[in-house]
Each structure stands twice: as C-alpha cells, then as structure tokens.
Amino acid sequence: MKASELRQKFLEFFKQKGHAEISGKSLIPENDPTVLFNTAGMQPLVPYLLGEKHPLGTRLADVQKCVRTGDIDSVGDHSHLTFFEMLGNWSLGDYFKEEAITWSYEFLTSPEWLGIPREKLWVTVFAGEEGIPRDEESAAIWKRLGIPDNRISYLDREHNWWGPAGSTGPCGPDTEMFYDTGRPCPRGDDCEGPTCKCGRWLEIWNDVFMQYNKQADGSYVPLAKKNVDTGMGVERTITVLQGKDSVYDTELFQPILKTLSDLVGVPYGQDPARDSSMRIIADHVKTACFIIGDDLGVSPSNVGQGYVLRRLIRRAVRHGRKLGLHGPFLKIPAAAVLEIYTDVYPEVVQRRQKIQEELTHEEERFLKTLEHGEKEFEKMLPGLLKNPRKELSGRLAFKLYDTYGFPIEITEELAMEHGMTVDRAGFDEAFAKHQEVSKAGADKTFKGGLADHSEMTTRLHTATHLLHKALQIVLGEHARQRGSNITPERLRFDFSHPQKMSDDEIQRVEDIVNEQIRRGLEVSQSVLPLEEAKKLGAMALFGDKYEDVVKVYRIGDFSLEVCGGPHVNNTRELGKFKIQKEEASSAGVRRIRAVLLDENQG
Ligand code: SER
C-alpha cells in the first residue's frame, strides 16, 4: 500500500465513523508562540481541544504535516524523521476511550482496511501517578479486542503521556500501538519490549485521551470536555505495510536517495556510513523544502524557525562533503522531494523556484564560511604541528566555531587530514559555557524588567568610557576602541593593541577606573561642531562617520568622548569595576570583559 492509498483509506474509514474531513494546516503555527513548528497533528486544533466549537462538528479527521527536530540525532536510523505526515482522528468532547481504541484496532487489523496481523501488535498504556489513575480502562478494551496480557505494557509519564506540545495546553495519558518487526534484539529474550531501543519495535499510532490543560504554573486542570487526539505516522505505517526495513525504503524517500547516489556515483545500500549520510541528507532536504515552501515560509536565519532551517541545510551540506559533494547540490534532491509530493502538497511544490534559490543561497553562504575557516585553520597549522601531542585544543576549536561559525565536525575532519585529533571534551566544555551565557542572556530578554535592564547597561556604558581612557593612559594612544558590546551582565570592549596585556597593566587600568568612580565625577553632555570636539581632544571612533555637529559626553576632567549616550549622572553610581578577562579578539585587537559589582561585593 502506497502513502497515497493510506491517506485516502484513513480518511474514508473515519468518514464512515461520522467524522468530517478537515484540511491539514501550514507547518508554521499561527498564533501559537509556544512552538516553532507544528510538531503534531493536534497543534492547529488546540483552540478546539480547549473547548472552542469547531464549525464541522465534534468528529474530525485529517492529514497534518509535522516537523520535529527533537530526535534529529536519531535521523538516519530505521524510523526517525524531522518531517513526517500524521493521520489523525479527533473527538471534541464526543467519543472517548472505547470508540477510539476499538476503531484504531479495526483500522489496523481488519482485512478490509490495513490487515496488519494482530499478533504483530503490542500496546502500551499509562501506569498512573500523582492522582491520575492507572489506565485499566484502556487495557481492558485492548484485552477484549484480543491483545493478550503479555503484549500490554503499563508505562510511566515519560512514555505514555502526551503533551502539551509547548509549555502549556491540552494533554493527557495515551495508549500507543507498536508493530513488532521481528528484528532480533541484541539482548535476546531480555528485550524489554516496546520501550527497548533495539529497533525491533516501531510505534505507528498513538491515541491520546486529552483531559487536562497544563497551566503555566505546572498544574493540570481537568478539561470541561474530554477529547481524543490520535496520530498515526504515514511514513512508518507504509513501511510496515510494504514489509520494508526502514522508512527510507519507501516511495517517500527512494527517489531522493536515487538522486544522491547518482550525484555521488555510488549506489545506495552498499556502505552503512555512506547510507546514513544519504538518509540524513534526504530527510533534511525534505524538511527544508517544506519549511521554505510553506504558506508562511521562512528563510534561513539565526533565529527561530529560520535557525532550525539553517541547521538542517548546513547539516545536509556537511554530510554531502562526507560523500565528496563539495559544491552546492541540494536543489537536485529537492527536485525529487517536490516530485514525490506534487499531488499531495501542490501549494509547496508551486514554490519550487524559491525553494531551490534559498537552498543554493544558504549552501553558498555556508561553503564560504567553511572556506574562510579553512584558511584560518591553515594559518594555525604550522603552530599546531609543533605540538608533540598532535592535539588541537578545545579552546582553539571553540574559537574557530565562535569566530568563524566553523562546525566542530569540520575542525575534526581537517585535524584528521593532518594527522591530528581535537580535544572534543575541551570543546564541549567551552561550548557548554557559551550556551549558559547565551541562555542567561536570553532569559534576561524574556524577563522584562526593562527599567532595571537599561539602568545596568547605562552604568556599564559610562564604565566603558572610563575604561577606554584608562587604556590609553596605561598602554598609549594607540589603544583605541574597535568595538563595544554591552549586555545587562557585562561590558565587552575591543581595542587596538598588539600584544597581550600584562597582569600589572590590567591591574593599573582597573585601579584608574575605580579611582575615577570614587572621585564622584559629574557626567555632562553638550552638542558641538565635530571640528571643535576634535580640537578639545574628544575621543572619536576611528573610521566612523560623524555628522558635522556631534554630541559629546564629558566625565569630569577625565574623559571627553563623542557619543550618543545614555550615561549616568555621576560616576559614583557605578559601584566597583572589575576586569574579568583580557584576550585576543582578532589580529592586533584585544578584548576585555568587565563587570560592575556592588560596593560590598568582591
Ligand atoms: N499528539 C499525539 C502525537 O503526536 C497524537 O496525535 O503522538
């Protein structure tokens, strides 16, 4: 049975059971800030699951496109995908467990429908916890239908609870249906059943009994009406029905893989590592096509959906390189993707040109990044090769990542080509630290508290002026500002200076700044013609363009700088200045990170 027939049969079956067919929605949720993509069929239906009346009644069925990236590391195995289609039947306060389970079973096993042998089916039900009872009701229904005790597992919330999709919303216990592929488990008779990751068990359908609404405070409030949300995976179910080994062996992937094996010049199915890369590319390029080609389509970027898209494309490019594909190539498998879905998602297919352009553009951008990073790597190489341990430090690997966007895998590849290894643990550590910092930064953005926020950044801004002047006093006039970045946590200041600052120099700079803070200098501003400001010796950014008339900030008798502000009124407001780090930023440019502490801290 092909995917097209499965979609059709599913809708037909549920129409016979009184369901109205509704159309699948865009991949990108509207008015739902809790998720980036529809990760399940229930998402576009959330308002109805929460009690809103649906114009087509209380029994609905549909096919919904979904994107899930949570399992991205499993993509390439037998069954995990980042894009998939979900078949769903819905009860909005209408039927509940009895009908939902009975119909699932009938559709799966009846020879008139899918005809899956009943002895191949295993099910799981919710074991119960914290005031939510063990789901004996579902188990009893399964038993009555003919599933023996030993093929029913009672599992905890981690396995048998669904939702909410984001942080809040409808959710509840579920019962899941697994197909026994018969693939041997390495643990033999000790295989733990459907939860075992051995690859023997394929989850094909999930009936969720949505009876709670999770609140922002973490509590579960019972819904006024109980709903059913079911999700059957199209790709997995046809894999079972076609007796195939993996989702990649079906018509929803074979043509894509064919373009890849043609490009590489090696058949698919000969080498596990190569096959895995081809599968990953096939999956990611498909997902990218659907994200770009969506009605609310997005382009690669560094935020939100655009960032997910960027990661998918770049990961595909990386696997392409492993296969020897070094130039842009994704539009070729993309054409195969669109071909597969011509009749199913014409709205996506009609955006062919945009999809191909975006893919190629992003590939080119990434290839440039790689080229640039490779050059930097070549520059480091002579030094690296002197290292007797033949190991590239985690710090350097992180620098390549942070400064040039160079993925760690590529650094490892390059290192390997020169007979070296990379301190991966060191990189992971630097990376984790960086994540923490950006997470702390992101938390701040969402916390609001803008008043507080801007007060701290204002103080750090004034401290930056003091730092700039102090650096010129200690290091010389060449120590000029090359960049400044302020967050509520710290200031970061880049300046020209050819070598690392000594501990003594750092200490002197810190002391000078703290001295000016203690002096309680008034901060004042005035507007002057640029020439006059320069005559007065105001510091201005080298290479920056200014208007003829500029604003200057004066900090007592200590500093005069062309600047837009804002600043504090008196340096006494700053607290204690502390340099946390001095490091190289780029050739001839140093970088200082510093903070302001309350007087009584440190
Ligand atoms: N929401 C459930 C799932 O995604 C059933 O549709 O598995």
Side-chain angles (χ1 to χ4, degrees):
M1 189 184 291
K2 299 280 184 224
S4 52
E5 199 185 335
L6 174 63
R7 295 186 197 98
Q8 206 187 319
K9 281 209 167 194
F10 182 89
L11 295 171
E12 195 186 316
F13 178 85
F14 282 100
K15 273 187 220 164
Q16 288 186 11
K17 309 287 184 199
H19 291 63
E21 178 186 340
I22 56 170
S23 61
K25 301 290 178 290
S26 156
L27 253 188
I28 295 161
E30 278 177 287
N31 307 322
D32 184 353
T34 65
V35 285
L36 292 176
F37 296 101
N38 284 321
T39 58
M42 48 79 64
Q43 249 143 355
L45 291 163
V46 164
Y48 309 106
L49 295 166
L50 291 177
E52 214 50 46
K53 225 171 130 77
H54 195 284
L56 294 184
T58 55
R59 295 184 181 193
L60 310 171
D62 66 359
V63 185
Q64 175 64 47
K65 296 175 277 189
C66 302
V67 164
R68 258 183 220 182
T69 52
D71 293 328
I72 193 165
D73 290 328
S74 303
V75 168
D77 70 357
H78 295 282
S79 60
H80 286 88
L81 298 169
T82 58
F83 171 90
F84 56 89
E85 294 172 89
M86 219 174 222
L87 303 167
N89 57 289
W90 313 87
S91 158
L92 303 173
D94 188 319
Y95 59 85
F96 206 47
K97 295 182 183 174
E98 178 69 40
E99 293 88 335
I101 294 176
T102 308
W103 290 338
S104 288
Y105 187 75
E106 180 184 349
F107 185 66
L108 286 173
T109 59
S110 158
E112 209 189 314
W113 300 100
L114 303 190
I116 294 176
R118 53 184 71 194
E119 63 279 5
K120 288 289 210 175
L121 284 183
W122 292 58
V123 303
T124 61
V125 298
F126 185 52
E129 68 183 55
E130 285 166 34
I132 298 166
R134 186 176 171 88
D135 196 358
E136 295 294 4
E137 193 185 341
S138 293
I141 300 167
W142 285 119
K143 281 182 216 170
R144 208 191 58 229
L145 290 169
I147 303 282
D149 271 337
N150 68 338
R151 283 197 266 131
I152 302 176
S153 318
Y154 291 83
L155 300 171
D156 61 8
R157 187 182 286 266
E158 193 198 322
H159 297 100
N160 277 74
W161 183 275
W162 207 91
S167 44
T168 57
C171 55
D174 66 43
T175 178
E176 304 182 3
M177 290 147 261
F178 289 78
Y179 179 81
D180 179 2
T181 66
R183 248 190 298 269
C185 173
R187 292 162 66 181
D189 287 347
D190 288 339
C191 180
E192 64 186 54
T195 53
C196 191
K197 297 268 180 276
C198 59
R200 174 170 165 189
W201 313 97
L202 191 58
E203 184 198 338
I204 50 177
W205 204 349
N206 183 10
D207 289 357
V208 185
F209 306 115
M210 288 199 154
Q211 25 183 338
Y212 300 96
N213 184 7
K214 186 174 182 192
Q215 311 290 302
D217 67 8
S219 62
Y220 294 88
V221 173
L223 289 167
K225 285 185 181 163
K226 294 178 182 170
N227 309 301
V228 173
D229 146 26
T230 90
M232 172 185 250
V234 169
E235 296 78 358
R236 291 182 178 188
T237 307
I238 59 166
T239 302
V240 166
L241 296 173
Q242 296 172 12
K244 295 281 166 64
D245 187 51
S246 93
V247 289
Y248 296 95
D249 298 328
T250 67
E251 79 278 12
L252 296 180
F253 279 99
Q254 278 297 308
I256 314 172
L257 291 166
K258 174 81 171 61
T259 64
L260 294 172
S261 61
D262 285 352
L263 278 168
V264 178
V266 183
Y268 173 77
Q270 290 205 335
D271 174 79
R274 220 169 8 212
D275 287 353
S276 166
S277 286
M278 287 194 205
R279 290 171 172 201
I280 291 169
I281 297 169
D283 170 84
H284 290 7
V285 74
K286 185 192 276 195
T287 308
C289 285
F290 276 94
I291 295 176
I292 300 168
D294 194 86
D295 287 342
L296 303 169
V298 290
S299 305
S301 75
N302 282 332
V303 290
Q305 287 104 351
Y307 181 63
V308 174
L309 175 62
R310 168 161 285 167
R311 268 183 58 204
L312 289 166
I313 297 174
R314 293 187 170 200
R315 199 155 180 261
V317 170
R318 270 183 12 230
H319 282 278
R321 285 165 59 97
K322 282 197 188 171
L323 297 172
L325 302 173
H326 288 272
F329 69 96
L330 288 177
K331 70 179 201 186
I332 297 167
V337 172
L338 301 181
E339 186 67 35
I340 293 171
Y341 294 98
T342 304
D343 298 330
V344 198
Y345 299 108
E347 73 282 6
V348 174
V349 175
Q350 90 191 8
R351 298 194 180 97
R352 175 187 312 267
Q353 198 185 339
K354 181 179 174 222
I355 292 170
Q356 298 196 331
E357 279 169 10
E358 291 278 16
L359 285 173
T360 305
H361 190 58
E362 181 63 13
E363 282 180 284
E364 282 166 352
R365 221 168 357 206
F366 186 45
L367 290 169
K368 246 185 231 138
T369 300
L370 294 180
E371 217 174 278
H372 194 70
E374 268 162 24
K375 277 207 193 98
E376 288 306 315
F377 184 87
E378 300 292 335
K379 275 192 226 153
M380 291 179 183
L381 199 57
L384 295 175
L385 289 174
K386 285 194 201 119
N387 170 352
R389 287 178 55 209
K390 299 262 174 279
E391 186 188 67
L392 193 139
S393 73
R395 192 179 53 80
L396 271 183
F398 183 72
K399 187 182 161 193
L400 281 168
Y401 165 80
D402 196 31
T403 318
Y404 305 104
F406 214 55
I408 179 69
E409 293 81 1
I410 305 270
T411 304
E412 284 177 330
E413 260 171 48
L414 282 175
M416 201 160 71
E417 279 165 24
H418 294 91
M420 302 181 56
T421 55
V422 176
D423 172 11
R424 184 65 190 253
F427 171 84
D428 289 343
E429 199 180 307
F431 185 77
K433 239 184 246 159
H434 164 87
Q435 297 282 84
E436 256 164 56
V437 172
S438 10
K439 189 172 174 302
D443 285 350
K444 269 280 168 7
T445 2
F446 293 120
K447 247 186 227 152
L450 223 64
D452 186 11
H453 190 139
S454 71
E455 190 202 318
M456 191 59 202
T457 51
T458 304
R459 288 164 62 206
L460 285 163
H461 189 189
T462 306
T464 300
H465 280 212
L466 296 177
L467 169 65
H468 193 180
K469 181 71 186 188
L471 284 167
Q472 297 200 340
I473 295 171
V474 174
L475 302 175
E477 287 227 4
H478 66 273
R480 286 172 177 273
Q481 173 168 346
R482 296 291 294 270
S484 167
N485 175 303
I486 297 174
T487 72
E489 283 77 32
R490 53 108 184 110
L491 66 83
R492 197 180 77 196
F493 189 73
D494 292 357
F495 57 99
S496 5
H497 187 55
Q499 75 252 12
K500 187 165 176 50
M501 286 174 73
S502 69
D503 289 348
D504 178 57
E505 285 167 340
I506 293 173
Q507 189 60 55
R508 272 160 58 211
V509 167
E510 210 179 88
D511 289 348
I512 292 174
V513 172
N514 280 317
E515 169 65 20
Q516 307 316 312
I517 293 174
R518 254 192 310 275
R519 286 173 68 207
L521 301 175
E522 292 288 331
V523 181
S524 61
Q525 53 167 292
S526 45
V527 174
L528 301 174
L530 179 63
E531 283 315 307
E532 200 180 325
K534 282 192 177 159
K535 249 184 252 156
L536 288 170
M539 295 192 283
L541 288 199
F542 193 65
D544 240 20
K545 281 204 184 72
Y546 291 104
E547 307 300 321
D548 291 343
V549 175
V550 293
K551 185 152 93 169
V552 292
Y553 272 89
R554 180 188 294 279
I555 306 181
D557 57 359
F558 184 71
S559 126
L560 186 68
E561 195 162 331
V562 177
C563 174
H567 286 279
V568 301
N569 295 321
N570 189 296
T571 56
R572 221 177 289 131
E573 296 168 41
L574 300 189
K576 187 165 181 223
F577 177 75
K578 177 103 196 93
I579 293 179
Q580 291 190 318
K581 200 168 180 190
E582 191 272 350
E583 62 188 337
S585 165
S586 58
V589 179
R590 306 296 300 177
R591 168 171 290 182
I592 280 181
R593 282 172 201 270
V595 293
L596 288 171
L597 305 169
D598 287 342
E599 221 78 59
N600 44 9
Q601 274 179 275

